[in-house]
Amino acid sequence: PDHPDESFAEALLRIIGEKGRTDEEVRRRANIDRRVFGKIRGGRSCAPDKKTALALAVSLELTLAETAGLLERADSALSRGALSDVIAEYFITRGRYDIHEINIVLFKHDQPLLGV
């Protein structure tokens, strides 16, 4: 990555700025509680859990490579052995970034939902 020493929060804020989005828009699209987003944004939590980080990547419409970079900052990664990750990857690679659509499929397969 171009910013190897960035924390998750720093990377998130940089990407939000680069994409020209507002914090509120990103939070809403990621289906994340205001308090949780505030803690992440303020750097008060080291890094979010995987499903929250993935929800933020989806809300920012990141590519698969960009998603992998953001997840890495949360000490996580997509795994081909995890059905929920395969489902998320399916949507990301097809440019389908509707968190609710993804969560419907996750729910149908009894997988943890993103962002909630």
Side-chain angles (χ1 to χ4, degrees):
D2 295 339
H3 310 271
D5 295 328
E6 275 183 331
S7 69
F8 182 89
E10 290 167 337
L12 178 65
L13 295 176
R14 176 181 52 77
I15 295 166
I16 289 172
E18 289 172 358
K19 298 273 184 179
R21 302 273 174 82
T22 66
D23 289 358
E24 184 60 18
E25 177 187 5
V26 170
R27 183 198 68 77
R28 240 186 4 263
R29 287 182 49 121
N31 200 32
I32 294 174
D33 180 84
R34 214 175 238 105
R35 289 179 305 258
V36 172
F37 186 83
K39 285 180 184 176
I40 294 167
R41 190 189 188 296
R44 291 188 298 275
S45 83
C46 299
D49 62 21
K50 182 178 182 175
K51 66 185 186 111
T52 301
L54 192 51
L56 288 164
V58 167
S59 111
L60 287 162
E61 300 183 1
L62 301 184
T63 65
L64 200 54
E66 291 168 330
T67 297
L70 190 62
L71 286 175
E72 188 177 310
R73 294 181 194 290
D75 294 323
S76 195
L78 290 174
S79 166
R80 289 241 149 255
L83 179 57
S84 59
D85 291 358
V86 172
I87 291 168
E89 185 176 326
Y90 172 89
F91 282 93
I92 291 168
T93 57
R94 284 159 181 78
R96 293 170 60 186
Y97 294 104
D98 183 333
I99 198 92
H100 301 293
E101 183 184 12
I102 296 168
N103 278 341
I104 287 168
V105 175
L106 289 169
F107 181 80
K108 285 180 181 177
H109 292 280
D110 198 28
Q111 296 297 304
L113 305 182
L114 297 182
V116 289

